[in-house]
Structure formats: structure tokens, C-alpha cells
Amino acid sequence: MEYGAEQMDLVRQLKTAMSSGSLLLGQNQTADACATGDAELVIFAANCPQEFIDDLTSRHPDVPMHRVNLVNRDLGAACAKPFHVSTICVLDAGSSDLLSLQPNLD
């Protein structure tokens, strides 16, 4: 798996957040966390379904959302999970810099 510099930093930040913070993986848990106001940031895989992104951004415009260049397979691997991850919800970034990601959805 080859990453560019920006992606490598994201992978490192995700690993840091997985060990020191609190992340939720998956669309259902992310939607629930947004609904309860617990979401600090939502990260979408490059190939996350656009309908889900549109629905979540329209329902929760106050939650920062960022789409990354990694596809769901690589996002799962970055989180050290043996499954694909299309959506990550950051509840607590721990000692990572994930919350510095700027919202990049139109």
C-alpha cells in the first residue's frame, strides 16, 4: 500500500487517534453520533456513497466533515481493521491532530 505524504500523515494521525482518542467506525454509528451531538468531526472515504454524505451534511450542517483521498479499503487498513471503513466519526481526537482537518465538502 503506497501513500502520498498527506495520506501518510493522515494514516499516522488515525493510528494515534485510535490508540489515544475515541473514534466510531461506520455510517450507522456516525449518523447516531451526529444526531446526539457527540460528533466532533466526520471523515469520509473517497468512495463513500454520495447519497449518505449529502444526507448527513444536510441533517447536521454544524458538524465539520472532511473527505479524504483514501478509499474505504485503505481507510479500514489505516485504522488497523480487517474490514472496509467508509465513515469515521471523531468523538475525541486524543493526542492526534485530526480536528485540524478542514471541512472540504461543498
Side-chain angles (χ1 to χ4, degrees), residues 2 6 8 10-11 17 22-23 39 45-46 50 58 61-62 66 71 73 75-77 79-80 86 88 98-99 101:
E2 294 250 342
E6 178 183 321
M8 187 55 110
L10 175 67
V11 170
S22 179
L23 303 181
Q50 190 61 47
S58 67
D62 53 323
H66 184 88
V71 295
R73 178 186 68 243
L75 208 52
C79 294
S86 65
I88 298 172
L98 284 179
L99 294 181
L101 288 173

PDB file of all heavy atoms in Angstrom, residues 2 6 8 10-11 17 22-23 39 45-46 50 58 61-62 66 71 73 75-77 79-80 86 88 98-99 101:
ATOM      1  N   GLU A   2       0.781   2.060  -1.019  1.00  0.00           N
ATOM      2  CA  GLU A   2       1.605   3.270  -1.132  1.00  0.00           C
ATOM      3  C   GLU A   2       0.763   4.494  -0.799  1.00  0.00           C
ATOM      4  O   GLU A   2      -0.362   4.628  -1.278  1.00  0.00           O
ATOM      5  CB  GLU A   2       2.127   3.396  -2.569  1.00  0.00           C
ATOM      6  CG  GLU A   2       3.081   2.307  -2.947  1.00  0.00           C
ATOM      7  CD  GLU A   2       4.490   2.815  -3.093  1.00  0.00           C
ATOM      8  OE1 GLU A   2       4.660   4.016  -3.227  1.00  0.00           O
ATOM      9  OE2 GLU A   2       5.403   1.987  -3.057  1.00  0.00           O
ATOM     10  N   GLU A   6       0.638  13.470   2.291  1.00  0.00           N
ATOM     11  CA  GLU A   6      -0.572  13.887   3.010  1.00  0.00           C
ATOM     12  C   GLU A   6      -1.315  12.671   3.555  1.00  0.00           C
ATOM     13  O   GLU A   6      -1.783  12.664   4.693  1.00  0.00           O
ATOM     14  CB  GLU A   6      -1.478  14.683   2.069  1.00  0.00           C
ATOM     15  CG  GLU A   6      -2.780  15.112   2.711  1.00  0.00           C
ATOM     16  CD  GLU A   6      -3.684  15.829   1.739  1.00  0.00           C
ATOM     17  OE1 GLU A   6      -3.176  16.622   0.919  1.00  0.00           O
ATOM     18  OE2 GLU A   6      -4.889  15.590   1.781  1.00  0.00           O
ATOM     19  N   MET A   8      -0.020   9.703   4.206  1.00  0.00           N
ATOM     20  CA  MET A   8       0.781   9.070   5.244  1.00  0.00           C
ATOM     21  C   MET A   8       0.562   9.776   6.575  1.00  0.00           C
ATOM     22  O   MET A   8       0.435   9.134   7.609  1.00  0.00           O
ATOM     23  CB  MET A   8       2.264   9.088   4.856  1.00  0.00           C
ATOM     24  CG  MET A   8       3.111   8.301   5.796  1.00  0.00           C
ATOM     25  SD  MET A   8       2.530   6.606   5.961  1.00  0.00           S
ATOM     26  CE  MET A   8       3.832   5.755   5.140  1.00  0.00           C
ATOM     27  N   LEU A  10      -2.136  11.406   7.460  1.00  0.00           N
ATOM     28  CA  LEU A  10      -3.494  11.054   7.885  1.00  0.00           C
ATOM     29  C   LEU A  10      -3.498   9.662   8.522  1.00  0.00           C
ATOM     30  O   LEU A  10      -4.108   9.455   9.566  1.00  0.00           O
ATOM     31  CB  LEU A  10      -4.466  11.096   6.703  1.00  0.00           C
ATOM     32  CG  LEU A  10      -5.880  10.631   7.025  1.00  0.00           C
ATOM     33  CD1 LEU A  10      -6.562  11.597   7.989  1.00  0.00           C
ATOM     34  CD2 LEU A  10      -6.698  10.471   5.767  1.00  0.00           C
ATOM     35  N   VAL A  11      -2.817   8.726   7.902  1.00  0.00           N
ATOM     36  CA  VAL A  11      -2.741   7.364   8.450  1.00  0.00           C
ATOM     37  C   VAL A  11      -2.119   7.399   9.849  1.00  0.00           C
ATOM     38  O   VAL A  11      -2.628   6.772  10.776  1.00  0.00           O
ATOM     39  CB  VAL A  11      -1.948   6.444   7.495  1.00  0.00           C
ATOM     40  CG1 VAL A  11      -1.651   5.098   8.150  1.00  0.00           C
ATOM     41  CG2 VAL A  11      -2.709   6.245   6.193  1.00  0.00           C
ATOM     42  N   ALA A  17      -5.105   8.518  16.940  1.00  0.00           N
ATOM     43  CA  ALA A  17      -6.451   8.715  17.481  1.00  0.00           C
ATOM     44  C   ALA A  17      -7.083   7.398  17.918  1.00  0.00           C
ATOM     45  O   ALA A  17      -7.806   7.357  18.919  1.00  0.00           O
ATOM     46  CB  ALA A  17      -7.335   9.402  16.441  1.00  0.00           C
ATOM     47  N   SER A  22     -11.113   8.596  20.785  1.00  0.00           N
ATOM     48  CA  SER A  22     -12.330   7.811  20.630  1.00  0.00           C
ATOM     49  C   SER A  22     -12.900   8.049  19.239  1.00  0.00           C
ATOM     50  O   SER A  22     -13.311   9.172  18.911  1.00  0.00           O
ATOM     51  CB  SER A  22     -13.343   8.212  21.706  1.00  0.00           C
ATOM     52  OG  SER A  22     -14.535   7.477  21.541  1.00  0.00           O
ATOM     53  N   LEU A  23     -12.904   6.988  18.428  1.00  0.00           N
ATOM     54  CA  LEU A  23     -13.436   7.057  17.072  1.00  0.00           C
ATOM     55  C   LEU A  23     -14.544   6.027  16.914  1.00  0.00           C
ATOM     56  O   LEU A  23     -14.481   4.944  17.490  1.00  0.00           O
ATOM     57  CB  LEU A  23     -12.345   6.743  16.037  1.00  0.00           C
ATOM     58  CG  LEU A  23     -11.084   7.582  16.035  1.00  0.00           C
ATOM     59  CD1 LEU A  23     -10.145   7.115  14.924  1.00  0.00           C
ATOM     60  CD2 LEU A  23     -11.397   9.053  15.868  1.00  0.00           C
ATOM     61  N   ALA A  39     -20.529  14.162  17.799  1.00  0.00           N
ATOM     62  CA  ALA A  39     -19.524  14.163  16.733  1.00  0.00           C
ATOM     63  C   ALA A  39     -18.730  15.463  16.718  1.00  0.00           C
ATOM     64  O   ALA A  39     -19.300  16.547  16.685  1.00  0.00           O
ATOM     65  CB  ALA A  39     -20.194  13.950  15.386  1.00  0.00           C
ATOM     66  N   ALA A  45     -14.488   8.285   3.416  1.00  0.00           N
ATOM     67  CA  ALA A  45     -13.595   7.689   2.420  1.00  0.00           C
ATOM     68  C   ALA A  45     -13.909   8.304   1.063  1.00  0.00           C
ATOM     69  O   ALA A  45     -15.016   8.811   0.825  1.00  0.00           O
ATOM     70  CB  ALA A  45     -13.785   6.180   2.366  1.00  0.00           C
ATOM     71  N   ALA A  46     -12.946   8.232   0.155  1.00  0.00           N
ATOM     72  CA  ALA A  46     -13.134   8.790  -1.188  1.00  0.00           C
ATOM     73  C   ALA A  46     -14.317   8.155  -1.910  1.00  0.00           C
ATOM     74  O   ALA A  46     -14.988   8.808  -2.708  1.00  0.00           O
ATOM     75  CB  ALA A  46     -11.865   8.608  -2.013  1.00  0.00           C
ATOM     76  N   GLN A  50     -22.253   8.946  -2.114  1.00  0.00           N
ATOM     77  CA  GLN A  50     -22.571  10.377  -2.113  1.00  0.00           C
ATOM     78  C   GLN A  50     -23.922  10.660  -1.463  1.00  0.00           C
ATOM     79  O   GLN A  50     -24.104  11.677  -0.813  1.00  0.00           O
ATOM     80  CB  GLN A  50     -22.545  10.921  -3.550  1.00  0.00           C
ATOM     81  CG  GLN A  50     -22.634  12.436  -3.628  1.00  0.00           C
ATOM     82  CD  GLN A  50     -21.474  13.152  -2.940  1.00  0.00           C
ATOM     83  OE1 GLN A  50     -20.323  12.787  -3.137  1.00  0.00           O
ATOM     84  NE2 GLN A  50     -21.761  14.160  -2.127  1.00  0.00           N
ATOM     85  N   SER A  58     -26.751  17.579   5.119  1.00  0.00           N
ATOM     86  CA  SER A  58     -27.984  18.377   5.187  1.00  0.00           C
ATOM     87  C   SER A  58     -28.634  18.290   6.566  1.00  0.00           C
ATOM     88  O   SER A  58     -29.205  19.264   7.047  1.00  0.00           O
ATOM     89  CB  SER A  58     -28.972  17.943   4.106  1.00  0.00           C
ATOM     90  OG  SER A  58     -29.450  16.644   4.352  1.00  0.00           O
ATOM     91  N   PRO A  61     -25.502  20.290   9.527  1.00  0.00           N
ATOM     92  CA  PRO A  61     -24.590  21.268   8.909  1.00  0.00           C
ATOM     93  C   PRO A  61     -23.559  21.828   9.885  1.00  0.00           C
ATOM     94  O   PRO A  61     -22.553  22.394   9.463  1.00  0.00           O
ATOM     95  CB  PRO A  61     -25.531  22.368   8.410  1.00  0.00           C
ATOM     96  CG  PRO A  61     -26.749  22.236   9.268  1.00  0.00           C
ATOM     97  CD  PRO A  61     -26.872  20.767   9.600  1.00  0.00           C
ATOM     98  N   ASP A  62     -23.786  21.661  11.176  1.00  0.00           N
ATOM     99  CA  ASP A  62     -22.873  22.194  12.187  1.00  0.00           C
ATOM    100  C   ASP A  62     -21.674  21.285  12.456  1.00  0.00           C
ATOM    101  O   ASP A  62     -20.720  21.702  13.107  1.00  0.00           O
ATOM    102  CB  ASP A  62     -23.636  22.433  13.497  1.00  0.00           C
ATOM    103  CG  ASP A  62     -24.387  21.192  13.943  1.00  0.00           C
ATOM    104  OD1 ASP A  62     -24.913  20.470  13.079  1.00  0.00           O
ATOM    105  OD2 ASP A  62     -24.456  20.939  15.164  1.00  0.00           O
ATOM    106  N   HIS A  66     -15.065  16.010   6.429  1.00  0.00           N
ATOM    107  CA  HIS A  66     -13.879  16.030   5.577  1.00  0.00           C
ATOM    108  C   HIS A  66     -13.823  14.735   4.777  1.00  0.00           C
ATOM    109  O   HIS A  66     -13.939  13.654   5.344  1.00  0.00           O
ATOM    110  CB  HIS A  66     -12.622  16.168   6.455  1.00  0.00           C
ATOM    111  CG  HIS A  66     -11.358  16.284   5.683  1.00  0.00           C
ATOM    112  ND1 HIS A  66     -10.868  17.497   5.253  1.00  0.00           N
ATOM    113  CD2 HIS A  66     -10.486  15.349   5.239  1.00  0.00           C
ATOM    114  CE1 HIS A  66      -9.731  17.299   4.593  1.00  0.00           C
ATOM    115  NE2 HIS A  66      -9.482  15.994   4.564  1.00  0.00           N
ATOM    116  N   VAL A  71      -9.598   5.256  -0.231  1.00  0.00           N
ATOM    117  CA  VAL A  71     -10.848   4.509  -0.423  1.00  0.00           C
ATOM    118  C   VAL A  71     -11.135   3.715   0.850  1.00  0.00           C
ATOM    119  O   VAL A  71     -10.274   3.583   1.722  1.00  0.00           O
ATOM    120  CB  VAL A  71     -10.788   3.584  -1.668  1.00  0.00           C
ATOM    121  CG1 VAL A  71     -10.670   4.405  -2.942  1.00  0.00           C
ATOM    122  CG2 VAL A  71      -9.665   2.575  -1.542  1.00  0.00           C
ATOM    123  N   ARG A  73     -11.305   0.634   1.658  1.00  0.00           N
ATOM    124  CA  ARG A  73     -10.391  -0.470   1.978  1.00  0.00           C
ATOM    125  C   ARG A  73      -9.149   0.069   2.692  1.00  0.00           C
ATOM    126  O   ARG A  73      -8.715  -0.462   3.711  1.00  0.00           O
ATOM    127  CB  ARG A  73     -10.007  -1.203   0.690  1.00  0.00           C
ATOM    128  CG  ARG A  73      -9.021  -2.348   0.905  1.00  0.00           C
ATOM    129  CD  ARG A  73      -8.570  -2.942  -0.420  1.00  0.00           C
ATOM    130  NE  ARG A  73      -7.755  -1.977  -1.158  1.00  0.00           N
ATOM    131  CZ  ARG A  73      -8.086  -1.446  -2.342  1.00  0.00           C
ATOM    132  NH1 ARG A  73      -9.200  -1.786  -2.948  1.00  0.00           N
ATOM    133  NH2 ARG A  73      -7.291  -0.576  -2.933  1.00  0.00           N
ATOM    134  N   LEU A  75      -8.849   3.021   4.188  1.00  0.00           N
ATOM    135  CA  LEU A  75      -9.226   3.672   5.440  1.00  0.00           C
ATOM    136  C   LEU A  75      -9.361   2.630   6.552  1.00  0.00           C
ATOM    137  O   LEU A  75      -8.929   2.862   7.679  1.00  0.00           O
ATOM    138  CB  LEU A  75     -10.531   4.445   5.255  1.00  0.00           C
ATOM    139  CG  LEU A  75     -10.768   5.655   6.143  1.00  0.00           C
ATOM    140  CD1 LEU A  75      -9.611   6.627   6.122  1.00  0.00           C
ATOM    141  CD2 LEU A  75     -12.057   6.348   5.753  1.00  0.00           C
ATOM    142  N   GLY A  76      -9.934   1.481   6.225  1.00  0.00           N
ATOM    143  CA  GLY A  76     -10.008   0.393   7.202  1.00  0.00           C
ATOM    144  C   GLY A  76      -8.629  -0.072   7.626  1.00  0.00           C
ATOM    145  O   GLY A  76      -8.354  -0.274   8.810  1.00  0.00           O
ATOM    146  N   ALA A  77      -7.727  -0.230   6.652  1.00  0.00           N
ATOM    147  CA  ALA A  77      -6.355  -0.652   6.950  1.00  0.00           C
ATOM    148  C   ALA A  77      -5.642   0.397   7.807  1.00  0.00           C
ATOM    149  O   ALA A  77      -4.887   0.058   8.730  1.00  0.00           O
ATOM    150  CB  ALA A  77      -5.582  -0.893   5.658  1.00  0.00           C
ATOM    151  N   CYS A  79      -6.930   2.212   9.998  1.00  0.00           N
ATOM    152  CA  CYS A  79      -7.451   2.084  11.363  1.00  0.00           C
ATOM    153  C   CYS A  79      -7.124   0.718  11.967  1.00  0.00           C
ATOM    154  O   CYS A  79      -7.648   0.370  13.018  1.00  0.00           O
ATOM    155  CB  CYS A  79      -8.961   2.299  11.364  1.00  0.00           C
ATOM    156  SG  CYS A  79      -9.456   3.965  10.918  1.00  0.00           S
ATOM    157  N   ALA A  80      -6.305  -0.066  11.256  1.00  0.00           N
ATOM    158  CA  ALA A  80      -5.903  -1.403  11.694  1.00  0.00           C
ATOM    159  C   ALA A  80      -7.101  -2.332  11.844  1.00  0.00           C
ATOM    160  O   ALA A  80      -7.154  -3.154  12.752  1.00  0.00           O
ATOM    161  CB  ALA A  80      -5.100  -1.325  12.986  1.00  0.00           C
ATOM    162  N   SER A  86     -15.983   3.201   5.500  1.00  0.00           N
ATOM    163  CA  SER A  86     -16.296   4.330   4.618  1.00  0.00           C
ATOM    164  C   SER A  86     -16.480   5.627   5.391  1.00  0.00           C
ATOM    165  O   SER A  86     -16.388   6.709   4.822  1.00  0.00           O
ATOM    166  CB  SER A  86     -17.551   4.042   3.792  1.00  0.00           C
ATOM    167  OG  SER A  86     -18.679   3.925   4.639  1.00  0.00           O
ATOM    168  N   ILE A  88     -15.727   7.610   9.344  1.00  0.00           N
ATOM    169  CA  ILE A  88     -15.167   7.648  10.693  1.00  0.00           C
ATOM    170  C   ILE A  88     -15.726   8.877  11.397  1.00  0.00           C
ATOM    171  O   ILE A  88     -15.729   9.972  10.835  1.00  0.00           O
ATOM    172  CB  ILE A  88     -13.629   7.749  10.670  1.00  0.00           C
ATOM    173  CG1 ILE A  88     -13.021   6.527   9.986  1.00  0.00           C
ATOM    174  CG2 ILE A  88     -13.076   7.923  12.081  1.00  0.00           C
ATOM    175  CD1 ILE A  88     -11.524   6.632   9.758  1.00  0.00           C
ATOM    176  N   LEU A  98      -6.283  15.242  14.257  1.00  0.00           N
ATOM    177  CA  LEU A  98      -7.395  15.048  13.316  1.00  0.00           C
ATOM    178  C   LEU A  98      -8.341  16.254  13.263  1.00  0.00           C
ATOM    179  O   LEU A  98      -8.858  16.580  12.200  1.00  0.00           O
ATOM    180  CB  LEU A  98      -8.191  13.787  13.673  1.00  0.00           C
ATOM    181  CG  LEU A  98      -7.545  12.456  13.304  1.00  0.00           C
ATOM    182  CD1 LEU A  98      -8.435  11.305  13.747  1.00  0.00           C
ATOM    183  CD2 LEU A  98      -7.265  12.372  11.814  1.00  0.00           C
ATOM    184  N   LEU A  99      -8.548  16.907  14.392  1.00  0.00           N
ATOM    185  CA  LEU A  99      -9.500  18.027  14.399  1.00  0.00           C
ATOM    186  C   LEU A  99      -8.979  19.240  13.637  1.00  0.00           C
ATOM    187  O   LEU A  99      -9.722  20.196  13.414  1.00  0.00           O
ATOM    188  CB  LEU A  99      -9.876  18.402  15.834  1.00  0.00           C
ATOM    189  CG  LEU A  99     -10.667  17.322  16.589  1.00  0.00           C
ATOM    190  CD1 LEU A  99     -11.007  17.796  17.987  1.00  0.00           C
ATOM    191  CD2 LEU A  99     -11.913  16.912  15.833  1.00  0.00           C
ATOM    192  N   LEU A 101      -8.166  18.954  10.540  1.00  0.00           N
ATOM    193  CA  LEU A 101      -8.632  18.776   9.157  1.00  0.00           C
ATOM    194  C   LEU A 101      -9.727  19.785   8.867  1.00  0.00           C
ATOM    195  O   LEU A 101     -10.678  19.916   9.649  1.00  0.00           O
ATOM    196  CB  LEU A 101      -9.188  17.350   8.962  1.00  0.00           C
ATOM    197  CG  LEU A 101      -8.175  16.211   8.936  1.00  0.00           C
ATOM    198  CD1 LEU A 101      -8.909  14.869   8.898  1.00  0.00           C
ATOM    199  CD2 LEU A 101      -7.253  16.333   7.736  1.00  0.00           C
TER     200      LEU A 101
END
